[in-house]
Coordinates of all heavy atoms in Angstrom, one line a residue:
K1 N 0.8 -1.2 0.0 CA 0.0 0.0 0.0 C 0.9 1.3 0.0 O 0.3 2.3 0.2 CB -0.9 0.0 1.2 CG -1.8 -1.2 1.4 CD -3.0 -1.1 0.4 CE -4.0 -2.2 0.8 NZ -4.1 -3.2 -0.4
G2 N 2.2 1.1 -0.2 CA 3.0 2.3 -0.3 C 4.2 2.3 0.6 O 4.8 1.2 0.8
L3 N 4.6 3.4 1.1 CA 5.9 3.6 1.9 C 6.0 2.7 3.1 O 7.0 2.2 3.4 CB 6.1 5.0 2.3 CG 6.7 6.0 1.2 CD1 6.8 7.3 1.8 CD2 8.0 5.4 0.7
E4 N 4.8 2.5 3.8 CA 4.9 1.6 5.0 C 5.4 0.2 4.6 O 6.2 -0.4 5.4 CB 3.5 1.6 5.6 CG 3.0 2.9 6.2 CD 3.4 3.0 7.7 OE1 3.9 2.0 8.3 OE2 3.2 4.1 8.3
D5 N 4.9 -0.3 3.5 CA 5.3 -1.7 3.1 C 6.8 -1.7 2.7 O 7.5 -2.6 2.9 CB 4.4 -2.2 2.0 CG 3.0 -2.4 2.6 OD1 2.8 -3.3 3.5 OD2 2.1 -1.7 2.1
C6 N 7.2 -0.6 2.0 CA 8.6 -0.5 1.6 C 9.5 -0.5 2.8 O 10.5 -1.2 2.9 CB 8.8 0.8 0.8 SG 8.1 0.9 -0.8
A7 N 9.1 0.3 3.8 CA 9.8 0.4 5.1 C 9.9 -1.0 5.8 O 11.0 -1.4 6.3 CB 9.2 1.4 6.0
D8 N 8.8 -1.7 5.8 CA 8.8 -3.0 6.5 C 9.7 -4.0 5.8 O 10.4 -4.8 6.5 CB 7.3 -3.5 6.6 CG 6.4 -2.7 7.5 OD1 7.0 -1.9 8.3 OD2 5.2 -2.9 7.4
W9 N 9.6 -4.0 4.5 CA 10.5 -4.9 3.7 C 12.0 -4.6 3.9 O 12.8 -5.5 4.1 CB 10.1 -4.9 2.2 CG 11.0 -5.8 1.4 CD1 10.9 -7.1 1.3 CD2 12.1 -5.4 0.6 NE1 11.9 -7.6 0.4 CE2 12.6 -6.5 0.0 CE3 12.6 -4.1 0.3 CZ2 13.7 -6.5 -0.9 CZ3 13.7 -4.1 -0.6 CH2 14.2 -5.3 -1.2
I10 N 12.3 -3.3 3.9 CA 13.7 -2.9 4.1 C 14.2 -3.3 5.5 O 15.3 -3.8 5.7 CB 13.8 -1.4 3.8 CG1 13.7 -1.1 2.3 CG2 15.2 -0.9 4.4 CD1 13.6 0.4 2.0
T11 N 13.3 -3.0 6.5 CA 13.7 -3.4 7.9 C 14.0 -4.9 8.0 O 15.0 -5.3 8.6 CB 12.5 -3.0 8.8 OG1 12.3 -1.6 8.8 CG2 12.8 -3.5 10.3
Q12 N 13.2 -5.7 7.3 CA 13.4 -7.1 7.3 C 14.7 -7.5 6.7 O 15.5 -8.3 7.2 CB 12.3 -7.8 6.6 CG 12.4 -9.4 6.5 CD 11.4 -10.0 5.7 OE1 10.4 -9.4 5.2 NE2 11.5 -11.3 5.5
Q13 N 15.1 -6.8 5.6 CA 16.3 -7.1 4.9 C 17.5 -6.7 5.7 O 18.5 -7.4 5.8 CB 16.4 -6.4 3.5 CG 15.2 -6.7 2.6 CD 15.1 -8.2 2.4 OE1 16.0 -8.9 2.0 NE2 13.9 -8.7 2.5
V14 N 17.4 -5.6 6.4 CA 18.5 -5.1 7.3 C 18.7 -6.1 8.4 O 19.9 -6.5 8.7 CB 18.2 -3.7 7.8 CG1 19.2 -3.3 8.9 CG2 18.2 -2.7 6.7
K15 N 17.6 -6.5 9.0 CA 17.8 -7.5 10.2 C 18.3 -8.8 9.7 O 19.2 -9.4 10.4 CB 16.4 -7.6 10.9 CG 16.0 -6.4 11.6 CD 14.6 -6.5 12.3 CE 14.2 -5.3 13.0 NZ 12.9 -5.4 13.7
E16 N 17.9 -9.3 8.6 CA 18.4 -10.6 8.1 C 19.9 -10.5 7.7 O 20.6 -11.5 7.8 CB 17.5 -11.1 6.9 CG 16.1 -11.5 7.4 CD 15.3 -11.9 6.2 OE1 15.8 -11.9 5.0 OE2 14.1 -12.3 6.4
S17 N 20.3 -9.4 7.2 CA 21.7 -9.3 6.7 C 22.6 -8.9 7.8 O 23.9 -9.0 7.6 CB 21.7 -8.2 5.6 OG 21.4 -6.9 6.0
G18 N 22.1 -8.3 8.9 CA 23.0 -7.7 9.9 C 23.7 -6.5 9.5 O 24.7 -6.1 10.1
A19 N 23.2 -5.8 8.5 CA 23.8 -4.5 8.0 C 23.8 -3.5 9.1 O 22.8 -3.3 9.8 CB 23.0 -4.0 6.8
T20 N 24.9 -2.7 9.1 CA 25.0 -1.6 10.1 C 24.8 -0.2 9.4 O 24.6 0.8 10.0 CB 26.3 -1.6 10.8 OG1 27.4 -1.5 9.8 CG2 26.5 -2.9 11.6
M21 N 24.8 -0.3 8.0 CA 24.6 0.9 7.2 C 23.7 0.6 6.0 O 23.7 -0.6 5.6 CB 25.9 1.5 6.8 CG 26.8 2.0 7.9 SD 28.4 2.5 7.4 CE 29.2 0.9 7.3
A22 N 23.1 1.6 5.5 CA 22.3 1.3 4.3 C 22.3 2.6 3.4 O 22.4 3.7 3.8 CB 20.8 1.0 4.6
I23 N 22.2 2.3 2.1 CA 22.2 3.3 1.1 C 21.0 3.1 0.2 O 20.9 2.0 -0.4 CB 23.5 3.3 0.2 CG1 24.7 3.5 1.1 CG2 23.5 4.4 -0.9 CD1 26.1 3.4 0.4
G24 N 20.1 4.1 0.1 CA 18.9 4.0 -0.7 C 18.9 5.1 -1.8 O 19.1 6.2 -1.5
H25 N 18.4 4.7 -3.0 CA 18.3 5.6 -4.1 C 16.8 5.8 -4.3 O 16.0 4.9 -4.4 CB 18.9 5.0 -5.3 CG 18.7 5.8 -6.6 ND1 18.0 5.3 -7.7 CD2 19.0 7.0 -6.9 CE1 17.9 6.2 -8.6 NE2 18.5 7.3 -8.2
S26 N 16.4 7.1 -4.4 CA 15.1 7.5 -4.7 C 14.0 6.8 -3.8 O 14.0 7.0 -2.6 CB 14.8 7.2 -6.2 OG 13.7 7.8 -6.7
L27 N 13.2 5.9 -4.4 CA 12.2 5.2 -3.5 C 12.9 4.4 -2.4 O 12.4 4.3 -1.3 CB 11.4 4.2 -4.4 CG 10.4 3.4 -3.7 CD1 9.3 4.2 -3.0 CD2 9.8 2.3 -4.6
G28 N 14.1 3.8 -2.7 CA 14.8 3.1 -1.7 C 15.2 4.0 -0.5 O 15.2 3.6 0.6
G29 N 15.6 5.2 -0.8 CA 15.9 6.2 0.2 C 14.7 6.5 1.1 O 14.7 6.6 2.3
L30 N 13.5 6.7 0.4 CA 12.3 7.0 1.1 C 11.9 5.9 2.0 O 11.4 6.1 3.1 CB 11.2 7.4 0.1 CG 11.3 8.7 -0.7 CD1 10.2 8.8 -1.7 CD2 11.3 9.9 0.2
G31 N 12.0 4.7 1.5 CA 11.7 3.5 2.4 C 12.6 3.5 3.6 O 12.1 3.1 4.7
L32 N 13.9 3.8 3.4 CA 14.8 3.8 4.6 C 14.4 4.8 5.6 O 14.3 4.6 6.8 CB 16.2 4.1 4.1 CG 17.1 2.9 3.6 CD1 18.3 3.5 3.0 CD2 17.4 2.0 4.8
L33 N 14.1 6.0 5.1 CA 13.6 7.1 6.0 C 12.4 6.8 6.7 O 12.2 7.0 7.9 CB 13.4 8.4 5.2 CG 14.7 9.0 4.6 CD1 14.3 10.2 3.7 CD2 15.7 9.4 5.6
K34 N 11.4 6.1 6.1 CA 10.2 5.8 6.7 C 10.4 4.7 7.8 O 9.8 4.8 8.9 CB 9.2 5.2 5.7 CG 7.8 5.0 6.2 CD 7.2 6.4 6.6 CE 5.8 6.3 7.1 NZ 5.2 7.6 7.5
A35 N 11.3 3.8 7.5 CA 11.6 2.7 8.5 C 12.3 3.3 9.7 O 12.0 3.0 10.9 CB 12.5 1.7 7.9
I36 N 13.2 4.3 9.5 CA 13.8 5.0 10.7 C 12.8 5.8 11.4 O 12.8 5.8 12.7 CB 15.0 5.9 10.2 CG1 16.1 5.0 9.5 CG2 15.5 6.7 11.3 CD1 17.1 5.8 8.8
E37 N 11.9 6.5 10.7 CA 10.9 7.4 11.4 C 10.0 6.5 12.3 O 9.6 6.9 13.4 CB 10.1 8.1 10.3 CG 9.0 9.0 10.9 CD 7.8 9.1 10.0 OE1 7.4 8.0 9.5 OE2 7.3 10.2 9.9
K38 N 9.7 5.3 11.8 CA 8.8 4.4 12.5 C 9.4 3.9 13.8 O 8.7 3.4 14.7 CB 8.3 3.3 11.7 CG 7.4 3.7 10.5 CD 7.1 2.5 9.6 CE 6.4 1.4 10.4 NZ 6.1 0.2 9.5
G39 N 10.7 4.0 13.9 CA 11.5 3.4 15.0 C 11.8 2.0 14.9 O 12.3 1.3 15.8
D40 N 11.5 1.4 13.7 CA 11.8 0.0 13.5 C 13.2 -0.3 13.1 O 13.6 -1.5 13.2 CB 10.9 -0.6 12.3 CG 9.4 -0.5 12.7 OD1 9.1 -0.4 13.9 OD2 8.6 -0.5 11.7

């Protein structure tokens, strides 16, 4: 349904990978920002 789902998917990928940093382009960046804003 939009950015919330992007953020949830990105959060899952970060947790599964153990990444400590992330780089997002365009929509990828917006999804990252949304995930951070949500506190997830």
Side-chain angles (χ1 to χ4, degrees):
K1 305 280 191 244
L3 277 181
E4 291 270 351
D5 292 296
C6 291
D8 292 344
W9 178 76
I10 289 171
T11 298
Q12 179 184 355
Q13 302 307 308
V14 170
K15 291 180 177 178
E16 289 178 358
S17 67
T20 57
M21 293 173 280
I23 300 176
H25 172 242
S26 195
L27 176 64
L30 290 175
L32 274 172
L33 294 174
K34 191 65 178 176
I36 295 168
E37 179 212 46
K38 290 174 64 180
D40 296 338

